[in-house]
Amino acid sequence: MKRFLLPAALLLPLALLASACSSPSSADSGTDGKGSVVLRVGDQKGGAEAVLRAAGELDDLPYRITWSTFTSGPPLLEAVNAKAVDIGAVGNTPPVFAAGADSKIAVVAATHGDPAGEAIVVARDSPLRTTQHLKGRKVAVAQGSSAHFQLIASLRKAGLSLDDIDVSLLQPADALAAFTSGKVDAWAVWDPYTSQVLANGKARVLTDGRGVVNGLGFQVAAPAALADKEKAKAIGDYIERLRRAQDWVYAHPDAWAKAWAKETGLPYEVALACVKRSNGTRIAVALDKEAIASEQEIADTFAELKLIPRTFRFADYVDTRFNENLPPSTTPARGYGKGSTS
């Protein structure tokens, strides 16, 4: 694979997204400051705080929110387990790794989105044309990320396994450097990184998550927070605000892309492509038996591969109290029409 470089304007914000600190934010949310309950939320750069603010859902909170920013789902869930964070959003795979380590977590809400943002990308001029062509090649992926399972599932669909490729376990910033320098042949990644690396036309999608992964994302809470009556009430309200904010994102993709770009440093065009490819397609769904079974498949896969230390029942880490009046988890994701991510 030939060496190619991304413009500096793309490299910097991606590095920013990948290296966000995990220290508490100095600013609380809430306009009246009278709430006695403090909800500690784990977030990622350009995540829940940004979308809630853009959608006007941080106005008139009956409680206060303190925000902590993490690079990805796994360290966020470590904070949930340590009771340093009450709730946070992650993809479909981090809860499996956390539960596999018997962490104290409870999955409390779900969304279903288009998994097109879960992709294996290669250089535009790479000779690799199908997933089967990955055999014997070096592929970068972040351990425990949603992309990790997408890589495994894509390989299985092509009749391959992890043993057939040379896996480089790299977080996004390091994976980007390896990918752009040609040290790896492919990169299994997720949005917004997918949209970002495709932006200059020097990379292309080899395969994506459609038809191989469940497209689910989760809100994961600390059981201790759920056991506190007032904090549990705040968590329920917070989840409802996120659901309304997601509806706002779908209805206002341009406005959200502008706000998201400002928050993260992403170019507007990259942010908009990501919104239309995956970010804006999410719909709130129930934590039903189909969702649990789908996650159990992920858990069993990682246990079989000895990537988590034990087998377990994913259902034991699910709390369905906030499920009321939600559509099934198999409800199709929303979309913006043909060619919306071009």
Side-chain angles (χ1 to χ4, degrees):
M1 189 172 80
K2 295 181 180 179
R3 177 186 176 94
F4 68 94
L5 297 176
L6 290 176
L10 291 185
L11 288 169
L12 181 58
L14 198 152
L16 175 67
L17 282 165
S19 61
C21 67
S22 56
S23 58
S25 168
S26 60
D28 293 345
S29 296
T31 56
D32 57 13
K34 296 178 181 178
S36 59
V37 175
V38 177
L39 191 62
R40 300 168 301 170
V41 178
D43 200 11
Q44 297 182 49
K45 190 71 174 177
E49 181 178 12
V51 72
L52 288 169
R53 192 176 304 283
E57 289 292 343
L58 290 182
D59 299 336
D60 302 318
L61 286 174
Y63 48 89
R64 293 189 299 120
I65 296 178
T66 59
W67 302 92
S68 297
T69 307
F70 298 86
T71 59
S72 60
L76 190 159
L77 293 188
E78 289 176 14
V80 172
N81 177 57
K83 301 180 184 179
V85 165
D86 297 319
I87 189 170
V90 296
N92 63 0
T93 302
V96 167
F97 273 74
D102 201 22
S103 296
K104 295 178 177 61
I105 62 165
V107 178
V108 294
T111 60
H112 182 217
D114 189 335
E118 302 276 345
I120 300 174
V121 297
V122 296
R124 171 65 67 180
D125 59 357
S126 169
L128 308 183
R129 294 292 167 183
T130 69
T131 309
Q132 287 91 340
H133 292 162
L134 291 174
K135 187 172 182 177
R137 302 288 186 152
K138 183 172 286 189
V139 183
V141 67
Q143 183 168 3
S145 67
S146 57
H148 200 168
F149 181 73
Q150 190 261 331
L151 172 61
I152 293 168
S154 295
L155 289 171
R156 283 187 170 179
K157 186 177 180 180
L160 301 175
S161 71
L162 288 178
D163 290 337
D164 292 310
I165 65 172
D166 183 359
V167 179
S168 280
L169 296 175
L170 299 172
Q171 288 299 310
D174 293 330
L176 171 68
F179 182 68
T180 57
S181 65
K183 291 180 180 178
V184 297
D185 300 293
W187 182 14
V189 71
W190 63 94
D191 258 335
Y193 305 114
T194 301
S195 294
Q196 195 161 16
V197 78
L198 294 175
N200 73 341
K202 294 292 183 67
R204 58 181 167 82
V205 173
L206 183 71
T207 188
D208 65 33
R210 289 172 171 169
V212 293
V213 298
N214 59 24
L216 296 176
F218 299 106
Q219 292 292 324
V220 182
L226 293 169
D228 182 308
K229 183 177 179 181
E230 291 304 313
K231 189 159 282 193
K233 182 178 178 182
I235 287 172
D237 177 81
Y238 173 76
I239 289 171
E240 282 300 317
R241 288 173 186 267
L242 282 174
R243 289 168 179 165
R244 292 195 298 268
Q246 187 62 48
D247 290 340
W248 178 87
V249 165
Y250 177 70
H252 303 88
D254 295 292
W256 169 233
K258 290 175 184 175
W260 197 17
K262 183 178 180 180
E263 175 73 18
T264 61
L266 287 167
Y268 165 75
E269 294 78 9
V270 173
L272 183 61
C274 180
V275 170
K276 293 187 174 183
R277 177 177 282 110
S278 59
N279 182 273
T281 69
R282 298 172 190 154
I283 183 171
V285 295
L287 281 168
D288 53 21
K289 62 181 183 180
E290 288 79 13
I292 292 171
S294 183
E295 289 297 299
Q296 187 67 55
E297 180 184 355
I298 297 175
D300 293 343
T301 296
F302 280 113
E304 178 186 340
L305 294 171
K306 309 297 183 184
L307 294 174
I308 57 175
R310 68 190 183 101
T311 58
F312 63 92
R313 292 180 69 250
F314 189 80
D316 293 341
Y317 295 85
V318 173
D319 186 320
T320 61
R321 73 179 75 181
F322 306 113
N323 251 5
E324 190 175 0
N325 299 323
L326 291 174
S329 62
T330 53
T331 301
R334 296 182 279 207
Y336 292 95
K338 186 176 180 180
S340 61
T341 60
S342 60

